[in-house]
Amino acid sequence: MYNQGILLVFIIIIVVMFLIYFTVFNKKGLKKSIDLSNSSNNLKEESNNLKEKNEEIKMNDFHNKSIEDCIHINNTYYNKTMMQYFEWYCSNDGLFWKKIKEEAKELKNIGITALWLPPAYKGVNGIDDVGYGVYDLYDLGEFEQKGSIRTKYGLKDEYLEAINVAHENGIEVYADIVLNHKGGGESSEIISAVPVDSNNRNNPTGEKREIEAYTVFNFPNRGNKYSSYKWSAEDFTGVDFDSITNEKRIFKFDKKDWAQEVDNENGNYDYLMFNDIDMNNRNVVEELKNWGRWYLEETNIDGVRLDAIKHIKFDFFKEWLDDLRKEKQVFAIGEYWSGDINKLNYYIDKSGNSMSLFDVPLHYNFYKASNSNGLFDMRNIENNTLLKSNPEKAVTFVDNHDTQIGQSLESWIEPWFKLLAYTFILTRKDGYPCIFYGDYYGISENNFAGFKDEINLILYARKYYSYGIQHDYIDNEDVIGWTREGEFSHKDSGLATLITNASGGNKIMYVGKNHIGEVWRDITGNVNKEVIIDENGNGDFFVNGRSYTIWTKKI
């Protein structure tokens, strides 16, 4: 009887537990059913909104829409695009870092995924220094040095905040790193040195003598904060000024040698400007590695643009980057300024494939084409370029702060050709394209208004359509083209592009059988026609003289 009672109690407990579970399960199931119903309704509403959005982007009113109207069509990954976010004549009002905060969201929306920012440290000329006349690498606008606390661009806290805001918007930040030289020392030293020929730095042009050079860097207003390293003549190999005679010429310090593994222009191109840093001095190398780790920790940058690498011994940056990458896998781009593709590929090999390089030969091809009055053979646009020989290491660009009018490497792409060049680097498969601030926002110093609206349209094509297999039609001296078949992961993607530096014309180009029957239009508005993709996946596309077109599916 006692056992039967226990059994009865046990059965009752089981029944109660089952009823409780069933009640809760039904409620959750009902809630889930309601949630799924609501989700389904939301998806239908979102789909209808998407259809309405796509209908807005018709050829007739495309140019009346801002880029923000067009950026949420596809929720997927996008092509990477860098912007060099400065030009030589940017205002020195100290508001530049704040401008980045203001622009970050818009830059994200148009498809910019990384910003190359100007040198952030204190320069010889204080607030008037673009940043390449390096004085104190540790002063990011924090110490009263060279006449101000701030740099040309603002204060350290504003710089760090700009980086944070860029990151919040999914934009990487690349710092401009200048380790070739230092200038603006606080005091001078008497040094034994030999004058050398500026056209062949291996040839002395006089006897050894004593000169006075400002090679002492004690950073009195920073003191030992962040680093106690003090610089002197032992840390340099040469200068370009003797304060005793006020003579401006290159002097190599006695018992010092130029680095041997550097560019062979001018016999040996170790020396560039100011006090040339001695990379054979291990104390110097270790200090620069310490600084790199400090800078990375202090700023949380994502990559580096390395200045004047042809003047620095070729194995230095591999060591420097290897050390930095113990902390974070930073991206690196080197500026090796040469139109000789063999030199660029040699450097990539000697530096252990540790960085990408700017495709200077491609820039010079653009320059020749823009100045040829239509005589440049467009079939040669990729010849002898990094884009063709080593595309994974190619950072493509049109112009930069050094090539703009009035600067040391002036080779300004004529404005009529700039949009053809941007179409080339932004819609093709290979290369990591970089847009120049001056081309986008304009350069007031040169009375150049820039091409913001036009570049936005090309960026739109890159962000949403420039995917899939590429087919080249670089087969005519004037008109060249290429197509991208698109990818399923990018809805409605695929494009056809034509550019010409002379007369206009047309090309029948294959865009893929997945586009059969589609109507395509030129999103630039340069040609007001529609093209129907035929049963073989081909379209007959057009371009006007000295112009460009980018054709995509009409939505």
Side-chain angles (χ1 to χ4, degrees):
M1 188 72 178
Y2 178 80
N3 290 337
Q4 289 178 343
I6 292 174
L7 180 63
L8 181 61
V9 170
F10 180 77
I11 292 171
I12 292 171
I13 290 172
I14 294 296
V15 170
V16 171
M17 288 177 65
F18 177 79
L19 290 173
I20 292 171
Y21 176 80
F22 183 79
T23 302
V24 172
F25 178 83
N26 272 343
K27 286 182 179 179
K28 286 185 177 179
L30 180 62
K31 183 177 186 300
K32 185 173 182 181
S33 175
I34 293 171
D35 288 344
L36 285 172
S37 176
N38 289 339
S39 177
S40 176
N41 290 334
N42 290 339
L43 284 172
K44 288 179 181 178
E45 182 178 351
E46 184 176 337
S47 176
N48 290 333
N49 290 339
L50 181 60
K51 288 179 181 178
E52 292 173 6
K53 178 66 69 177
N54 287 346
E55 285 299 313
E56 288 179 354
I57 310 174
K58 297 288 188 178
M59 183 63 198
N60 292 338
D61 67 352
F62 184 86
H63 299 283
N64 294 325
K65 298 291 178 185
S66 71
I67 289 298
E68 288 191 13
D69 290 327
C70 313
I71 61 171
H72 299 298
I73 295 177
N74 298 317
N75 185 23
T76 186
Y77 76 91
Y78 300 109
N79 287 316
K80 293 183 68 174
T81 307
M82 184 194 324
M83 177 180 279
Q84 177 186 355
Y85 198 82
F86 67 100
E87 54 95 5
W88 195 266
Y89 301 109
C90 286
S91 173
N92 67 350
D93 57 12
L95 300 177
F96 198 73
W97 300 141
K98 293 180 179 180
K99 177 179 169 65
I100 293 170
K101 290 173 56 179
E102 296 167 359
E103 297 280 341
K105 183 178 180 180
E106 180 183 348
L107 291 169
K108 171 192 175 181
N109 288 344
I110 64 173
I112 300 301
T113 59
L115 293 176
W116 156 23
L117 300 185
Y121 17 82
K122 194 68 60 68
V124 174
N125 295 311
I127 63 171
D128 294 317
D129 204 299
V130 175
Y132 295 100
V134 183
Y135 165 65
D136 185 0
L137 290 166
Y138 288 98
D139 185 358
L140 307 182
E142 183 180 2
F143 306 100
E144 179 69 50
Q145 298 187 118
K146 297 303 176 186
S148 69
I149 295 176
R150 72 170 177 89
T151 66
K152 175 178 182 175
Y153 309 105
L155 297 168
K156 177 182 178 180
D157 288 344
E158 294 166 343
Y159 176 55
L160 299 181
E161 181 62 20
I163 294 172
N164 289 337
V165 172
H167 286 165
E168 288 169 3
N169 284 276
I171 298 174
E172 294 182 338
V173 173
Y174 304 156
D176 205 321
I177 306 299
V178 187
L179 302 183
N180 178 72
H181 51 265
K182 294 181 78 69
E186 293 89 28
S187 58
S188 63
E189 296 176 270
I190 302 299
I191 307 159
S192 180
V194 177
V196 298
D197 185 350
S198 61
N199 295 315
N200 187 342
R201 282 81 184 278
N202 294 317
N203 291 340
T205 57
E207 297 297 320
K208 179 172 65 176
R209 73 187 206 215
E210 289 189 336
I211 67 168
E212 182 183 9
Y214 280 78
T215 51
V216 177
F217 293 77
N218 289 321
F219 315 112
N221 287 3
R222 173 168 64 82
N224 293 329
K225 188 172 183 180
Y226 306 131
S227 172
S228 60
Y229 196 89
K230 310 303 179 187
W231 296 69
S232 67
E234 286 299 314
D235 301 315
F236 306 108
T237 56
V239 294
D240 63 356
F241 190 76
D242 175 15
S243 295
I244 294 175
T245 62
N246 288 328
E247 184 179 7
K248 185 169 178 60
R249 64 190 305 178
I250 299 173
F251 294 92
K252 183 173 74 69
F253 292 170
D254 187 29
K255 298 181 181 178
K256 289 278 190 174
D257 292 311
W258 302 129
Q260 293 307 298
E261 191 70 89
V262 294
D263 192 271
N264 62 4
E265 187 179 347
N266 298 320
N268 177 298
Y269 218 172
D270 182 0
Y271 187 84
L272 178 62
M273 63 177 70
F274 294 113
N275 301 303
D276 184 64
I277 293 177
D278 183 5
M279 296 302 184
N280 290 318
N281 183 328
R282 287 308 304 178
N283 291 331
V284 166
V285 171
E286 292 305 317
E287 168 61 10
L288 293 178
K289 287 162 64 176
N290 290 338
W291 173 81
R293 291 191 298 271
W294 170 85
Y295 195 92
L296 180 61
E297 182 178 355
E298 198 80 1
T299 64
N300 195 29
I301 54 167
D302 307 284
V304 290
R305 180 265 185 188
L306 304 172
D307 184 62
I309 61 175
K310 67 190 277 187
H311 307 281
I312 299 171
K313 59 186 298 191
F314 289 171
D315 61 357
F316 167 75
F317 274 117
K318 182 183 186 307
E319 179 181 350
W320 190 82
L321 286 168
D322 283 348
D323 187 69
L324 200 63
R325 286 167 176 160
K326 293 175 183 176
E327 310 296 326
K328 182 178 181 179
Q329 287 300 307
V330 295
F331 176 73
I333 326 157
E335 182 230 9
Y336 193 114
W337 196 264
S338 174
D340 186 341
I341 186 58
N342 295 318
K343 288 187 174 184
L344 271 60
N345 280 320
Y346 179 78
Y347 183 88
I348 289 172
D349 181 62
K350 293 297 290 186
S351 61
N353 287 286
S354 58
M355 69 183 78
S356 297
L357 297 182
F358 288 105
D359 197 343
V360 178
L362 180 63
H363 162 78
Y364 278 129
N365 284 351
F366 290 155
Y367 178 70
K368 292 172 188 174
S370 79
N371 287 278
S372 69
N373 198 28
L375 299 179
F376 182 86
D377 190 334
M378 293 293 283
R379 291 171 295 189
N380 299 327
I381 198 73
E382 270 190 310
N383 283 6
N384 301 311
T385 65
L386 204 57
L387 188 65
K388 188 169 186 177
S389 66
N390 202 344
E392 291 184 358
K393 294 296 184 182
V395 174
T396 56
F397 69 103
V398 178
D399 268 311
N400 67 26
H401 64 291
D402 282 327
T403 68
Q404 68 182 94
I405 295 171
Q407 292 312 304
S408 59
L409 301 171
E410 182 179 333
S411 45
W412 183 244
I413 308 302
E414 289 298 318
W416 75 269
F417 193 84
K418 280 185 182 289
L419 294 174
L420 281 68
Y422 276 112
T423 298
F424 187 87
I425 69 172
L426 289 172
T427 63
R428 290 181 61 76
K429 172 174 63 73
D430 293 324
Y432 183 2
C434 180
I435 296 169
F436 177 42
Y437 181 100
D439 287 339
Y440 188 79
Y441 291 104
I443 304 171
S444 58
E445 181 76 14
N446 301 138
N447 296 314
F448 175 63
F451 291 108
K452 181 176 181 178
D453 292 339
E454 294 85 350
I455 292 175
N456 276 345
L457 289 174
I458 306 173
L459 283 168
Y460 174 77
R462 176 171 179 78
K463 185 173 182 179
Y464 294 108
Y465 297 101
S466 188
Y467 299 96
I469 297 170
Q470 178 173 293
H471 302 280
D472 283 340
Y473 295 84
I474 303 179
D475 52 7
N476 182 274
E477 63 183 8
D478 295 333
V479 182
I480 62 172
W482 54 93
T483 66
R484 305 289 299 277
E485 289 192 30
E487 294 175 346
F488 289 114
S489 58
H490 295 83
K491 183 172 167 34
D492 298 321
S493 62
L495 56 75
T497 300
L498 292 173
I499 63 174
T500 176
N501 68 335
S503 58
N506 67 297
K507 280 185 184 294
I508 295 175
M509 299 191 293
Y510 178 76
V511 298
K513 292 188 177 180
N514 52 311
H515 297 293
I516 290 173
E518 292 177 355
V519 177
W520 285 31
R521 85 296 192 228
D522 171 27
I523 66 170
T524 72
N526 291 329
V527 171
N528 189 19
K529 290 180 182 249
E530 293 184 350
V531 172
I532 299 176
I533 308 306
D534 68 20
E535 67 276 8
N536 297 312
N538 297 315
D540 191 359
F541 301 101
F542 303 84
V543 66
N544 297 324
R546 287 165 54 109
S547 187
Y548 63 102
T549 52
I550 303 172
W551 300 80
T552 65
K553 178 183 176 181
K554 182 179 179 181
I555 300 173

